[in-house]
Amino acid sequence: QVDRYLYPLRLSDDVLLDVMARFQAEMVKGLGRDTNPTAAVKMLPSFVRSLPDGSEKGDFLAVDLGGSQFRAHQVRVFADGKQSSQLESKSYPTPKEVTQGNGAELFDYIADCLSDFMETKNLKHKKLPLGFTFSFPCKQTKLEEGVLLAWTKHFRVRGVQDTDVVSSLRRALQKHKANVDVLALVNDTVGTMMTCGYDDQRCEVGLIIGTGTNACYMEEMRHISLVEGDEGRMCINTEWGAFGDDGALDDLRTEFDRELDLGSLNPGKQLFEKMISSLYLGELVRLILLKMTKEGLLFNGKVSTALLTKDKIEMKHVSAMEKDKEGLSNTKEILTDLNLFPSEEDCVAVQHVCTIVSFRSANLCAAALAAILTRLRENKKLLRMRTTVGIDGGLYKTHPKYAKRLHKAVRRLVPTCDVRFLLSAGGSGRGAAVVTAVARRLGAQRRRLDAALAPFLLPLPVLREVRDSMRAELEYGLKRETQAKATVKMLPTYVCGTPDGTEKGKFLALDLGGTNFRVLLVKIKSGRRRSVQMYNKIFAIPLEIMQGTGEELFDHIVQCIADFLEYMGIKGARLPLGFTFSFPCRQASIDKGTLVGWTKGFKATDCEGEDVVDMLREAIRRRNEFDLDIVAVVNDTVGTMMTCGYEDPNCEIGLIAGTGSNVCYMEDMKNIEIVEGNEGKMCINTEWGAFGDNGCIDHIRTKYDREVDEGSLNPGKQRYEKMTSGMYLGEIVRQILIDLTKQGLLFRGHVSESLRKRGIFETKFLSQIESDRLALLQVRRILQQLGLDSTCEDSIVVKEVCGVVSTRAARLCGAGLAAVLEKKRENQGMERLQITVGVDGTLYKLHPHFSRVLRETVKELAPQCDVTFMLSEDGSGKGAALITAVAKRLHNVGQK
């Protein structure tokens, strides 16, 4: 018969798994912007974004409001590598006239107690940061602000609900002339997690199971639609006590739960809390015993006054009655004190009731906790997860069997999580101080990080200066008297026409400009069904050849051509050839190109100052297997312009934004003083990568740019390219990361061996890390592949560093392009210029934001130019073939 009463309180594992699933659904509802207003579980953002990392230090104050006593604390945090802190506290009673009075009286009382504490500790002369533990549901929009949603526990203070409690505290502290800076408002659950997180960095869940009950955990920002931004994590205060307020647990609530709820201060609210917290379990036991006694199952049916008195049985009684050895004698003593005079059978039955009630509490708590742990594991995409739950509260600490029952239930419900339960030492007051310490550390780190990255944020006036400097350098390069000294060389290409659609035939093209070398066969058809067909093969160029002798490099190129001709079965044909050679060349005609200087990691000897076409012809002669008609030597930028010009006749600018950076454009012959003739146009290869080699942009170069330049193969050269091209951006990022790590802002101050390796941070990692689709978890994986053991916070900083470096590159590139566009517009004497820019390069194509930032910058700096950006689909190889075809056409016209 006793079991009949207790049967609805017994919950099988299937029921608990169902409760777990229901709570998971409630979490999702609470996190959603649209569903949160109707959610019972409010999932309140706490604006605690970071766990302690051990570098926190200093003196802090904390005040703790929420239990039967108000506490003031002084916390000393030591950054001694041992995660140590020292806590001194003083407790003050919270009289009923304060907990049931008005708001002004409550905050005056807090300020009064804190002033007393500071005087006792001789702290009045110091200005100390303070953390405020306020254990009631608050809506926060920042760490140091919180609007009270509703009172819970035994508090009913008038005029506080819907107001910011931090402002009220600050006003009271000012009135008392307390020299205190309130930096953080913290729920006791969050305080518990942070206290334990200081001792164990795996701790990312906080649990209170005492007078009240609640849990918090670190949620991914991308899932919290109530807060702007999707980077990193934030602690969510679930306020799970209200789970079931919308009827989600009605089928599990017994008649005793309903009766208890009706007699409470807040009927219909905090229903989950009323099923599991110590404030209510004693009363639940009383209601069950009362009914059983009335039905003659206990105490010979005699109902004592004690059984009729609300809250007469307390949690301390339940705990005492469940002790293993003294349980029955304790039970007899407690019941006798209540004038119940029990038999031995009565004592066994009452002990059984206490066990079932507290067992149900532990099981329900475990089910909701299991839901949180499962969500954490799924967020991290782990099959198995190790984590720590920071825990506090009288029920967990003082009940003889509660902790064991909770642990066992959690392990049964989430076998994929290895959970350590860590008891909070120093409670939520220490936690509030730790939150404050973390907030102060993050504030200081933010200021230092902003200072390190500030030189990369180029405002519009600075970009206009860059545009105007580039414009001046373009003019120097075109003029006969200044060209020799000009850094932007403005090299004539002798490409004087763009495709007109009549080009046809078979052409070979070579494309040399990076670590890969391409050989192409291009078939061009003219007429109404004009088309370009391409066949190509890619060959690697080993580092020892890139940096060997010129003869070895060109022999390797010819070997690759021979392999391709064999592969295509055209070894005997003497085809016209266009050679895309993506390095600065001074040309005297379209088929002569003298190398000015290597870039992009090439260092082959005996090439600079030599005609690369002659070097290629000699290598073909040395091999003596085939002959080719080398018609044109072409820069990749020019090839890109020609490829796009074949599709759009309005394309008169070519831009490469990839491993290197360069621009070419069609200039009026009359402006090119270094070439004879004034008629028509010629394509100018600006070689703008050398912009700034004369010091004109030194004021915007950072110490990181200087380090990258000094460690490069060509120090002091190609300075603009080193700030804008893919070959160098990863190295700039690496230099910044090393500096930030040395400052203690990253990777716990440890510069790993891998981070010391030049070139380890490739530009492709910037593209991956900055991808909007990439969660921080994946960013951490990329960093781990590089041997960098990063925290979530580290990943956010790395992503921000990548962002400022690539954004600066795009904006600088945009400023340079704006200079070329404005020159074109003025050349044509037009109010508005409509023009197409042909673009190629991995940075432009693959980086998630580079192209957008570049286009936006051009719009800002050349507002009278309407620019269409056209992606070069087939690259500079097709362009080389088209230039060769155009050159052949123009040659034939000339002969006629």
Side-chain angles (χ1 to χ4, degrees):
Q1 284 180 308
V2 171
D3 276 348
R4 184 165 56 82
Y5 277 96
L6 301 180
Y7 182 75
L9 293 161
R10 293 173 180 273
L11 304 175
S12 68
D13 278 2
D14 284 344
V15 170
L16 293 177
L17 287 167
D18 185 40
V19 171
M20 181 177 151
R22 292 184 209 184
F23 190 73
Q24 279 178 305
E26 289 294 321
M27 289 167 77
V28 172
K29 199 173 171 185
L31 287 170
R33 191 188 295 275
D34 299 332
T35 47
N36 175 273
T38 57
V41 179
K42 283 300 177 194
M43 304 294 284
L44 301 171
S46 69
F47 291 83
V48 170
R49 295 171 186 267
S50 178
L51 295 166
D53 71 354
S55 67
E56 294 80 12
K57 59 181 176 183
D59 279 359
F60 301 90
L61 288 172
V63 291
D64 190 345
L65 181 75
S68 53
Q69 290 193 310
F70 170 75
R71 294 194 300 272
H73 313 270
Q74 181 192 5
V75 184
R76 296 196 120 161
V77 180
F78 305 102
D80 54 4
K82 297 175 188 167
Q83 307 281 97
S84 55
S85 64
Q86 195 179 321
L87 176 74
E88 291 183 50
S89 307
K90 190 173 177 184
S91 294
Y92 299 85
T94 46
K96 195 167 182 182
E97 59 268 22
V98 170
T99 62
Q100 312 279 310
N102 67 48
E105 290 164 351
L106 170 68
F107 289 104
D108 274 347
Y109 181 72
I110 294 171
D112 208 23
C113 294
L114 184 62
S115 294
D116 172 75
F117 178 74
M118 290 175 76
E119 204 152 309
T120 310
K121 299 288 174 195
N122 195 24
L123 298 172
K124 283 278 192 182
H125 62 287
K126 284 186 176 180
K127 185 170 175 74
L128 291 174
L130 176 130
F132 182 18
T133 301
F134 187 74
S135 309
F136 306 94
C138 281
K139 184 181 179 184
Q140 291 187 251
T141 50
K142 46 188 166 186
L143 185 59
E144 68 281 13
E145 182 185 279
V147 173
L148 176 66
L149 296 176
W151 288 112
T152 55
K153 302 166 191 154
H154 58 284
F155 280 72
R156 288 291 169 276
V157 183
R158 298 183 301 281
V160 182
Q161 201 167 318
D162 301 322
T163 67
D164 174 24
V165 295
V166 175
S167 297
S168 301
L169 178 60
R170 280 183 178 140
R171 278 195 296 274
L173 290 168
Q174 272 174 337
K175 205 162 116 187
H176 283 72
K177 296 188 169 55
N179 198 14
V180 169
D181 187 12
V182 186
L183 284 189
L185 176 74
V186 184
N187 181 280
D188 56 346
T189 325
V190 181
T192 296
M193 182 189 78
M194 293 298 270
T195 299
C196 296
Y198 191 68
D199 299 320
D200 178 347
Q201 290 185 338
R202 283 189 190 276
C203 182
E204 49 194 345
V205 180
L207 173 64
I208 298 278
I209 182 75
T211 318
T213 182
N214 194 12
C216 69
Y217 72 103
M218 295 301 287
E219 176 60 88
E220 301 287 323
M221 280 289 289
R222 69 183 189 277
H223 296 149
I224 311 170
S225 62
L226 304 166
V227 178
E228 290 302 312
D230 57 2
E231 297 301 335
R233 301 194 301 168
M234 183 182 284
C235 181
I236 289 290
N237 165 20
T238 66
E239 285 298 336
W240 78 7
F243 177 34
D245 287 8
D246 56 357
L249 294 175
D250 279 2
D251 56 326
L252 298 179
R253 289 172 70 228
T254 64
E255 58 180 297
F256 308 112
D257 294 309
R258 290 188 172 85
E259 195 176 338
L260 180 146
D261 176 43
L262 287 171
S264 69
L265 283 168
N266 53 353
K269 291 184 175 172
Q270 299 294 107
L271 296 182
F272 188 61
E273 182 167 85
K274 285 168 185 169
M275 293 167 86
I276 65 173
S277 84
S278 64
L279 190 63
Y280 301 100
L281 294 193
E283 179 62 5
L284 200 57
V285 168
R286 183 189 72 82
L287 291 170
I288 296 167
L289 298 184
L290 177 61
K291 180 157 187 190
M292 290 170 73
T293 306
K294 281 181 177 176
E295 298 204 2
L297 295 174
L298 287 174
F299 316 124
N300 294 319
K302 289 178 185 169
V303 178
S304 72
T305 312
L307 271 187
L308 291 167
T309 307
K310 187 172 179 284
D311 294 330
K312 193 68 180 176
I313 298 178
E314 296 175 32
M315 193 61 221
K316 64 182 180 185
H317 299 135
V318 176
S319 295
M321 289 191 276
E322 279 198 77
K323 282 187 179 164
D324 271 335
K325 287 176 183 170
E326 314 96 72
L328 279 180
S329 58
N330 283 344
T331 305
K332 188 161 186 143
E333 195 179 310
I334 291 161
L335 296 175
T336 305
D337 285 347
L338 295 171
N339 293 323
L340 289 166
F341 310 110
S343 65
E344 190 152 330
E345 289 78 13
D346 289 336
C347 290
V348 171
V350 170
Q351 197 178 31
H352 194 46
V353 169
C354 291
T355 300
I356 295 296
V357 166
S358 61
F359 231 121
R360 182 184 73 154
S361 166
N363 279 337
L364 285 172
C365 185
L369 181 59
I372 289 173
L373 293 167
T374 302
R375 183 171 178 87
L376 269 175
R377 185 179 60 77
E378 287 171 355
N379 280 351
K380 295 180 179 191
K381 296 182 170 59
L382 295 172
L383 294 173
R384 191 165 194 90
M385 179 181 75
R386 275 181 70 196
T387 194
T388 298
V389 174
I391 196 160
D392 202 357
L395 183 54
Y396 184 88
K397 287 198 271 194
T398 59
H399 189 285
K401 297 177 180 176
Y402 197 93
K404 201 172 181 181
R405 289 169 185 167
L406 177 70
H407 300 175
K408 281 179 81 172
V410 167
R411 287 182 184 123
R412 282 200 320 275
L413 296 173
V414 275
T416 50
C417 294
D418 300 317
V419 187
R420 179 190 181 208
F421 288 88
L422 180 61
L423 199 57
S424 166
S428 51
R430 180 172 172 240
V434 171
V435 171
T436 310
V438 170
R440 194 165 74 164
R441 165 175 65 81
L442 291 177
Q445 285 178 346
R446 182 73 252 175
R447 288 188 290 277
R448 282 156 66 203
L449 184 63
D450 287 345
L453 300 183
F456 288 88
L457 309 176
L458 303 177
L460 214 50
V462 172
L463 289 171
R464 287 195 186 103
E465 282 174 29
V466 172
R467 175 197 65 192
D468 298 344
S469 292
M470 177 68 87
R471 178 67 194 273
E473 294 294 319
L474 298 176
E475 301 290 357
Y476 291 148
L478 288 172
K479 291 193 165 31
R480 189 175 278 110
E481 66 271 20
T482 51
Q483 206 274 339
K485 291 179 187 171
T487 49
V488 179
K489 285 297 178 193
M490 304 296 282
L491 303 171
T493 64
Y494 294 86
V495 171
C496 297
T498 50
D500 69 357
T502 63
E503 295 78 15
K504 60 183 178 182
K506 284 183 188 177
F507 303 88
L508 270 183
L510 311 180
D511 188 354
L512 179 71
T515 49
N516 288 331
F517 169 61
R518 280 201 312 161
V519 187
L520 305 96
L521 173 65
V522 184
K523 295 179 180 176
I524 303 174
K525 286 184 183 172
S526 60
R528 281 178 62 194
R529 301 182 70 180
R530 69 180 192 149
S531 66
V532 178
Q533 282 180 301
M534 296 199 304
Y535 309 88
N536 75 88
K537 205 166 182 192
I538 295 171
F539 301 88
I541 298 200
L543 189 65
E544 61 270 20
I545 295 224
M546 286 169 70
Q547 299 182 9
T549 67
E551 198 168 288
E552 287 167 343
L553 173 64
F554 281 92
D555 282 348
H556 180 75
I557 288 169
V558 172
Q559 172 70 57
C560 296
I561 298 169
D563 290 351
F564 180 75
L565 295 175
E566 186 112 21
Y567 171 72
M568 295 298 296
I570 51 170
K571 213 163 192 179
R574 190 175 186 273
L575 295 173
L577 179 140
F579 185 11
T580 301
F581 187 76
S582 309
F583 304 94
C585 282
R586 190 167 276 109
Q587 289 187 248
S589 65
I590 198 165
D591 63 347
K592 287 190 185 307
T594 303
L595 178 63
V596 175
W598 285 117
T599 57
K600 295 180 246 186
F602 276 74
K603 262 294 191 195
T605 57
D606 309 320
C607 295
E608 292 180 7
E610 299 295 324
D611 182 355
V612 294
V613 176
D614 285 346
M615 292 184 84
L616 180 60
R617 282 188 179 127
E618 279 166 28
I620 291 170
R621 224 172 287 141
R622 273 196 300 277
R623 191 171 180 91
N624 199 24
E625 274 184 28
F626 53 84
D627 198 12
L628 296 169
D629 175 16
I630 305 170
V631 174
V633 61
V634 183
N635 182 277
D636 55 345
T637 324
V638 184
T640 295
M641 183 188 79
M642 293 296 270
T643 300
C644 295
Y646 185 70
E647 307 294 333
D648 179 353
N650 210 25
C651 180
E652 291 204 342
I653 297 177
L655 167 67
I656 298 283
T659 312
S661 177
N662 196 14
V663 151
C664 71
Y665 72 103
M666 296 302 287
E667 177 60 270
D668 294 348
M669 283 290 288
K670 64 178 186 285
N671 295 331
I672 312 171
E673 292 184 6
I674 49 177
V675 176
E676 293 301 315
N678 285 330
E679 294 305 312
K681 293 179 180 180
M682 182 185 285
C683 181
I684 290 290
N685 165 21
T686 66
E687 285 300 335
W688 78 2
F691 173 51
D693 287 6
N694 59 359
C696 70
I697 56 171
D698 276 5
H699 62 295
I700 63 165
R701 288 173 77 226
T702 67
K703 62 179 179 178
Y704 310 112
D705 295 309
R706 290 187 177 88
E707 281 160 0
V708 169
D709 180 35
E710 283 160 19
S712 68
L713 288 167
N714 53 352
K717 293 182 177 173
Q718 300 294 107
R719 289 180 181 177
Y720 181 67
E721 182 168 79
K722 285 170 185 168
M723 296 165 83
T724 56
S725 80
M727 185 163 188
Y728 301 97
L729 299 190
E731 186 58 16
I732 296 171
V733 167
R734 188 183 73 89
Q735 292 291 350
I736 299 171
L737 298 187
I738 287 173
D739 186 36
L740 295 180
T741 306
K742 284 178 179 172
Q743 289 187 49
L745 301 177
L746 269 180
F747 311 132
R748 295 191 174 85
H750 172 63
V751 181
S752 65
E753 279 309 306
S754 58
L755 197 54
R756 293 179 200 276
K757 288 179 193 162
R758 184 171 295 282
I760 184 85
F761 207 97
E762 295 172 45
T763 297
K764 70 175 181 186
F765 295 130
L766 268 79
S767 296
Q768 290 168 7
I769 286 168
E770 287 188 70
S771 167
D772 293 331
R773 295 190 303 277
L774 208 63
L776 280 178
L777 202 65
Q778 292 156 296
V779 174
R780 282 180 77 178
R781 286 209 187 109
I782 292 169
L783 295 174
Q784 276 161 358
Q785 285 166 18
L786 294 171
L788 302 169
D789 186 20
S790 70
T791 63
C792 177
E793 287 73 29
D794 290 336
S795 304
I796 294 171
V797 172
V798 171
K799 194 165 185 176
E800 188 175 346
V801 169
C802 292
V804 296
V805 169
S806 62
T807 298
R808 183 190 67 161
R811 285 175 77 73
L812 282 174
C813 194
L817 186 56
V820 175
L821 287 161
E822 280 298 295
K823 184 167 191 350
K824 287 284 294 174
R825 187 178 68 79
E826 285 174 29
N827 280 356
Q828 293 180 26
M830 298 179 83
E831 184 82 12
R832 285 199 83 76
L833 174 71
Q834 286 205 325
I835 194 164
T836 298
V837 176
V839 197
D840 202 356
T842 48
L843 200 52
Y844 187 91
K845 283 181 180 176
L846 302 180
H847 190 280
H849 308 299
F850 188 94
S851 60
R852 174 184 53 78
V853 176
L854 170 71
R855 291 195 300 269
E856 286 169 0
T857 307
V858 166
K859 210 169 192 174
E860 286 176 311
L861 297 178
Q864 290 165 277
C865 300
D866 300 320
V867 186
T868 302
F869 287 86
M870 184 178 186
L871 207 53
S872 167
E873 291 303 328
D874 303 305
S876 46
K878 177 180 172 183
L882 285 165
I883 288 167
T884 306
V886 170
K888 276 282 185 194
R889 170 171 63 78
L890 294 176
H891 178 71
N892 293 341
V893 168
Q895 280 189 327
K896 284 176 190 171

